[in-house]
């Protein structure tokens, strides 16, 4: 995340270049960079805004009561407000590696007939996925997280700025964010999306929702992918849906295949409804 | 390994608070990690100890409270205990549950000197 202080996400890059920005976050923690009157307190640190006279207390307990994800959530709220103003319907695609996320995005872009789609790709390494997206004609920004196992709201804020510079954030359009393939960590990090969409391919086990409940609990839509392979695998569709609804009651499900095209009309209709709702609330 | 990211958040929160309070060092950090929270608490504790090196909290003792999971069962119209996600309501065996407590990840307080 930060190339100048080494804290956190020093290995993160955007289209191959390190993130570069003034320092909005607090480096007072690091002795090597601490200096008097460094970063101004942000809204996230409200509980301690009361003034304390330095050095007067020998030892005491300070009440903090602050959520660990407060800083990420505040940045996610900024991203969400920015997208809402433009009427952009943004989705955060999460799944294990190899569930067919990029293939689904490519096929969706190819079939979509309601305006431009911008894409943010998240991977630890390589820009292969962004290249696949760009081959469709859509604009894509590639975030490489280095060792990081998930996208966060800070990275996505930078990617949004990059898309804006490329004039690729069109009002009332779609923004598809492909998270790092990982069924664990991305669940905790709000990016500012309208919905998390979890993809489960039929070549995986139908009990994945029970093994990785946080992700399925965080999602607003389950896409069962690669259904063309169902005749060749022992995947119980009804059981998978039942498991998913144990952790997320009433989770909507669309079964689809980019190979056969089955379910794609239903998926595109879902996207179109979301886009229209986002556009209706823009401004 | 998002525990390391979360540990860095812990230390950002702790460092900012301690500095503003004029502390010279942090001797203790108390966290609340609910039983249903999306994190492995033992790993988080270890990551906090690693991430605190060379910071104002280098000597701090990190302790983690584990508030138990609680959920509202729509079928029972009652609050019930929930050990982990994916388990049914212990009363009716249903799954129409919404969480009421036990998913928090929070810095409760710090001891400073």
């Amino acid at each position: 995340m930060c190339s100048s202080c080494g804290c956190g996400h020093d290995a993160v890059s955007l289209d191959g270049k390190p993130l570069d920005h003034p320092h909005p976050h607090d480096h007072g923690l690091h002795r090597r960079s601490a200096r008097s009157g460094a970063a101004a307190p942000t809204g996230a640190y409200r509980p301690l805004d009361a003034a304390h006279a330095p050095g007067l207390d020998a030892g005491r307990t300070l009440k903090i009561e602050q959520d660990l994800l407060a800083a990420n959530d505040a940045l996610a709220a900024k991203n969400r407000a920015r997208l809402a103003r433009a009427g952009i319907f943004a989705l955060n695609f999460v799944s294990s590696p190899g569930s067919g996320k990029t293939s689904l995005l490519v096929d969706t872009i190819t079939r979509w007939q309601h305006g431009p789609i911008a894409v943010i790709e998240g991977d630890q390494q390589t820009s292969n996925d962004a290249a696949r997206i760009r081959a469709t004609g859509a604009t894509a920004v590639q975030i490489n997280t280095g060792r990081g196992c998930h996208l966060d709201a800070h990275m996505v804020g930078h990617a949004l700025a990059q898309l804006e510079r490329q004039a690729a954030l069109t009002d009332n359009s779609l923004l598809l964010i492909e998270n790092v393939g990982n069924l664990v960590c991305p669940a905790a990090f709000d990016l500012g999306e309208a919905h998390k969409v979890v993809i489960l391919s039929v070549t995986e086990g139908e009990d994945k929702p029970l093994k990785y409940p946080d992700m399925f609990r965080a999602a607003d839509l389950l896409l069962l992918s690669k259904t063309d392979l169902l005749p060749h695998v022992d995947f119980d569709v009804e059981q998978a849906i039942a498991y998913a609804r144990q952790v997320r009651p009433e989770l909507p499900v669309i079964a689809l295949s980019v190979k056969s095209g089955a379910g794609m009309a239903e998926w595109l209709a879902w996207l179109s409804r979301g886009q229209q709702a986002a556009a209706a609330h823009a401004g | 390994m998002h525990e390391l990211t979360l540990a860095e958040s812990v230390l950002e929160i702790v460092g900012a608070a301690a500095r503003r309070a004029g502390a010279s060092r942090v001797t203790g950090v108390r966290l609340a990690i609910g039983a249903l929270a999306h994190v492995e608490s033992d790993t988080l504790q270890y990551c906090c100890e690693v991430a605190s090196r060379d910071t104002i909290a280098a000597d701090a003792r990190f302790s983690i409270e584990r508030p138990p999971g609680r959920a509202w069962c729509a079928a029972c119209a009652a609050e019930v205990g929930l050990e982990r996600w994916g388990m049914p309501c212990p009363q009716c065996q249903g799954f129409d549950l919404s969480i009421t407590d036990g998913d928090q990840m929070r810095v409760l307080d710090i001891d400073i000197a």
Side-chain angles (χ1 to χ4, degrees):
Chain A
M1 183 179 298
C2 182
S3 56
S4 48
C5 70
C7 66
H9 302 59
D10 50 331
V12 176
S13 67
L14 199 66
D15 287 339
K17 299 192 185 90
L19 297 190
D20 187 27
H21 58 88
H23 282 101
H25 57 273
D26 195 323
H27 290 160
L29 165 69
H30 302 276
R31 277 177 178 159
R32 64 179 180 272
S33 61
R35 51 188 183 274
S36 60
T42 67
Y45 299 122
R46 287 275 176 249
L48 284 167
D49 275 356
H52 294 283
L56 293 182
D57 297 302
R60 60 198 166 101
T61 299
L62 285 184
K63 195 173 168 67
I64 309 276
E65 294 287 352
Q66 190 179 328
D67 287 341
L68 300 193
L69 291 170
N72 181 77
D73 291 348
L75 291 172
K78 283 174 73 174
N79 293 345
R80 183 168 285 115
R82 179 180 192 168
L83 293 165
R85 275 195 302 277
I88 294 173
F89 186 50
L91 298 173
N92 176 3
F93 291 82
V94 290
S95 78
S96 348
S99 68
K101 285 191 296 300
T102 313
S103 295
L104 176 66
L105 263 54
V106 165
D107 198 56
T108 300
I109 292 165
T110 307
R111 291 169 186 262
W112 182 250
Q113 295 180 335
H114 306 286
I117 296 182
V119 175
I120 297 174
E121 281 289 339
D123 281 298
Q124 287 197 318
Q125 307 276 350
T126 85
S127 56
N128 295 353
D129 283 359
R132 286 177 64 188
I133 298 293
R134 287 173 189 139
T136 68
T139 306
V141 169
Q142 176 78 52
I143 299 173
N144 285 130
T145 58
R147 290 157 300 162
C149 50
H150 58 271
L151 296 180
D152 64 29
H154 185 178
M155 302 173 196
V156 169
H158 279 279
L160 288 176
Q162 172 86 347
L163 286 170
E164 212 155 55
R165 280 192 293 277
Q166 297 178 19
L169 276 189
T170 312
D171 283 0
N172 308 329
S173 66
L174 285 187
L175 173 66
L176 309 181
I177 304 168
E178 181 178 339
N179 217 312
V180 177
N182 176 343
L183 263 184
V184 183
C185 310
F189 294 85
D190 184 7
L191 306 179
E193 72 276 0
H195 304 288
K196 282 191 177 73
V197 175
V198 65
I199 302 173
L200 176 62
S201 62
V202 303
T203 54
E204 303 172 58
E206 59 263 318
D207 58 351
K208 278 256 171 95
L210 295 185
K211 289 176 171 169
Y212 301 93
D214 290 299
M215 190 61 88
F216 289 83
R217 186 187 135 209
D220 294 320
L221 176 67
L222 166 60
L223 297 180
L224 276 179
S225 66
K226 306 188 188 181
T227 55
D228 57 292
L229 294 176
L230 277 172
H232 311 288
V233 294
D234 296 321
F235 185 91
D236 185 333
V237 170
E238 293 310 313
Q239 186 66 71
I241 294 171
Y243 285 149
R245 288 178 177 160
Q246 282 185 23
V247 295
R248 173 73 164 77
E250 296 172 27
L251 179 65
V253 180
I254 298 174
L256 51 75
S257 162
V258 300
K259 279 270 188 270
S260 71
M264 287 303 293
E266 191 184 349
W267 161 234
L268 292 170
W270 187 94
L271 273 178
S272 180
R273 285 196 300 276
Q275 183 200 26
Q276 285 167 22
H281 293 100
Chain B
M1 260 292 276
H2 65 298
E3 280 82 1
L4 191 53
T5 308
L6 294 172
E8 285 165 352
S9 295
V10 168
L11 287 154
E12 289 233 6
I13 292 167
V14 167
R19 199 187 68 261
R20 230 169 308 127
S24 57
R25 63 196 181 96
V26 177
T27 56
V29 176
R30 205 161 58 94
L31 307 172
I33 304 295
L36 304 177
H38 180 68
V39 65
E40 195 59 52
S41 66
D42 290 346
T43 310
L44 178 64
Q45 182 156 6
Y46 171 74
C47 288
C48 282
E49 285 159 9
V50 170
S52 67
R53 286 175 195 162
D54 297 326
T55 75
I56 195 168
D59 304 323
R61 182 174 167 275
F62 291 87
S63 58
I64 298 185
E65 298 200 351
R66 305 296 317 271
R70 307 280 301 166
W72 176 261
C73 175
C76 298
E79 197 183 42
V80 296
L82 190 63
E83 205 174 307
R84 58 183 166 80
W85 274 107
M87 291 186 71
C89 167
Q91 291 181 16
C92 72
Q93 308 304 311
F95 290 100
D96 198 354
L97 302 166
S98 42
I99 201 157
T100 54
D101 194 16
D103 64 345
Q104 62 272 72
M105 297 191 283
R106 189 170 293 164
V107 181
L108 291 175
D109 51 44
I110 61 174
D111 297 321
I112 56 172

